[in-house]
Amino acid sequence: MATPVDSDSTSESLAANSILTAKLRAVNPHEPDAEIPMRALLAGARRKESSLLALTRKLVMCESPSDSKPDVDACVAIAAGEVRARGGRVKLHRRRAYGDILEARFGPREQAPGKPVLLLGHLDTVWPIGTLRSMPCRIAEGRLWGPGTLDMKAGVALALTALEMLTEADLIQQEVILLLNSDEEIGSPVSRPITEALARQCAAVFVLEPAQGLAYKTARKGTGNWRIDIRGVAAHAGVDFEKGVSALRELSRVIDTVSSWTDLKRGLTVSVGVAGGGSKTNVIPAEAFAEVDVRIARIADGPRIERKFASLKAADRRCSLNITGGINRPPMERTRGTVQLFNRARLLAADIDIGLQEAATGGASDGNFTSALGIPTLDGMGAVGEGAHATHESILLEHLAPRTALLAGMLARSS
């Protein structure tokens, strides 16, 4: 049965929306002293909260693991439809082996005097198809639960809602580019060139990754991965012990060496996360391996640590090492441009009684790429919650409207 419509309440809602739009349109963000009406934006975001939540659930219910092109493409198609419904212009970057990449543009088609702003996000998740059976998308305890809610489908819904609000109020004076990648969780192997090319056209990048607690992120560590394969000489552990060369013994030396490269004062960590080797207890092991995670806080440390791995030699010359890997994402350093973006956001947040803080994190995002190009990049502008990549992944509903209003305010100010 359809829900009855209260004509009086509908009229009141339309009138309130008209008043809100009038307040927003009264602002010219190009005026030096113009103030963004944050409380009006917050009221508008609250009115759209139910549709924002419905869109988030729609995206979450479309499971989209990075390694399943048909499924992630289905989620991209949903997002493309939502963009078109809000007046955005869609361009699909089709990929053969990975999910397609969605580029959407809002605002004036003609060339405006200033540069666009890039909104950067992704639609792929770490969760395999079928996860919804054990992690259902549900509302409980003031949260929306489910795979991909926090990382980062709520952030995508939040951005589309902010753009909808600004479009309705005719407040997008400068073009806004929304880029939604489909391979971020596996290192962005095909989307990185697109991300970097678009970022070079833009004055700033706003990344829709989850908040760090309640904070925006002004710095992220860069990431690197290496694999070290060791070859020794197999032999019977009892009969021909002296003829064998233990790859596992060499592995222990390698682990000790690379681990010693950690320098906490520089924000550099080297961690062997996976290792193994050997076949039987009575066989001198001929093969061993180690997989190494590296995090760097400074761009200059990338080439330095790559040289260290390249020059790594076996302590026992009868063993051989095969070393593969490298830096995947450069660090997002806390630059002057990023700090200026954060200070702008902090002032806008104060207008709606949010004491916005900044944070640094050891994890990486596609914002690392844009920041390394010298483009001011502000990260963590998506949803608030906990449990990214964990079975308790969820977002806090109370923060959806304020975060949407703050993002809208930043886009209005940047236009």
Side-chain angles (χ1 to χ4, degrees):
M1 176 182 291
T3 303
V5 176
D6 185 332
S7 59
D8 291 336
S9 63
T10 301
S11 299
E12 290 175 4
S13 177
L14 291 173
N17 284 333
S18 297
I19 294 171
L20 171 63
T21 300
K23 287 181 179 179
L24 295 175
R25 286 179 175 168
V27 177
N28 181 358
H30 293 291
E31 294 179 6
D33 299 323
E35 292 186 4
I36 300 299
M38 289 303 299
R39 293 203 175 275
L41 285 173
L42 179 58
R46 292 203 189 284
R47 291 185 183 280
K48 292 184 179 292
E49 194 167 359
S50 60
S51 60
L52 193 168
L53 185 57
L55 176 54
T56 302
R57 296 187 71 170
K58 185 177 182 180
L59 292 172
V60 172
M61 292 300 293
C62 184
E63 295 180 291
S64 52
S66 313
D67 59 0
S68 177
K69 176 175 172 59
D71 294 297
V72 76
D73 280 352
C75 196
V76 168
I78 290 174
E82 296 294 335
V83 166
R84 293 188 182 98
R86 290 161 174 78
R89 304 179 293 279
V90 168
K91 177 180 179 180
L92 281 179
H93 299 265
R94 299 190 183 279
R95 291 296 176 265
R96 181 171 297 178
Y98 296 87
D100 296 337
I101 296 159
L102 173 60
E103 175 188 336
R105 293 178 181 252
F106 293 83
R109 290 176 180 269
E110 64 277 2
Q111 185 65 38
K115 291 184 176 182
V117 173
L118 178 63
L119 281 174
L120 184 56
H122 65 89
L123 286 165
D124 62 317
T125 75
V126 300
W127 301 104
I129 294 297
T131 301
L132 282 169
R133 289 193 291 270
S134 58
M135 289 175 60
C137 184
R138 60 190 176 90
I139 295 176
E141 303 170 20
R143 297 172 179 266
L144 177 66
W145 305 78
T149 49
L150 181 63
D151 189 14
M152 53 168 289
K153 291 181 177 180
V156 173
L158 189 151
L160 287 169
T161 303
L163 288 164
E164 180 180 6
M165 291 167 54
L166 295 176
T167 299
E168 289 173 352
D170 195 25
L171 267 185
I172 303 181
Q173 305 300 319
Q174 187 64 49
E175 192 172 46
V176 176
I177 304 172
L178 173 65
L179 181 66
L180 300 179
N181 294 325
S182 57
D183 59 346
E184 192 272 348
E185 296 290 6
I186 53 174
S188 307
V190 296
S191 65
R192 179 177 180 175
I194 298 170
T195 298
E196 292 179 333
L198 289 175
R200 288 188 178 98
Q201 304 172 22
C202 294
V205 178
F206 298 156
V207 186
L208 303 170
E209 291 283 354
Q212 183 86 355
L214 296 174
Y216 277 1
K217 300 169 186 175
T218 54
R220 284 182 177 272
K221 285 189 177 182
T223 60
N225 297 100
W226 274 265
R227 181 180 171 102
I228 303 169
D229 287 287
I230 303 170
R231 183 72 183 175
V233 178
H236 192 289
V239 178
D240 292 318
F241 179 85
E242 68 281 3
K243 294 181 180 179
V245 181
S246 173
L248 278 175
R249 188 177 183 191
E250 186 62 37
L251 173 63
S252 68
R253 299 188 187 105
V254 166
I255 291 175
D256 188 57
T257 298
V258 301
S259 298
S260 72
W261 298 341
T262 292
D263 186 343
L264 295 179
K265 289 182 179 180
R266 294 185 65 84
L268 167 65
T269 59
V270 182
S271 172
V272 177
V274 180
S279 57
K280 302 288 184 181
T281 57
N282 62 347
V283 178
I284 303 297
E287 296 180 348
F289 74 94
E291 294 180 357
V292 190
D293 176 276
V294 173
R295 307 282 163 149
I296 56 173
R298 306 180 188 186
I299 290 177
D301 283 338
R304 184 177 295 114
I305 199 70
E306 287 183 327
R307 287 193 296 270
K308 280 182 171 290
F309 274 98
S311 62
L312 187 63
K313 305 295 183 185
D316 188 327
R317 294 186 179 183
R318 295 173 297 171
C319 288
S320 61
L321 306 184
N322 182 46
I323 302 169
T324 55
I327 295 295
N328 170 259
R329 283 185 169 94
M332 174 183 161
E333 297 191 65
R334 187 179 183 271
T335 65
R336 178 180 298 178
T338 292
V339 171
Q340 289 175 343
L341 290 178
F342 172 74
N343 286 336
R344 184 190 308 168
R346 181 173 53 82
L347 292 174
L348 293 177
D351 288 344
I352 51 176
D353 304 319
I354 296 175
L356 188 67
Q357 301 294 320
E358 63 175 308
T361 179
S365 79
D366 284 343
N368 290 54
F369 299 139
T370 64
S371 178
L373 295 174
I375 315 300
T377 300
L378 193 55
D379 206 328
M381 299 179 74
V384 174
E386 63 182 359
H389 299 192
T391 56
H392 62 289
E393 183 172 4
S394 60
I395 60 169
L396 287 162
L397 302 183
E398 65 181 291
H399 295 289
L400 282 177
R403 301 286 289 194
T404 303
L406 185 51
L407 178 59
M410 288 293 287
L411 290 171
R413 175 63 75 189
S414 297
S415 295

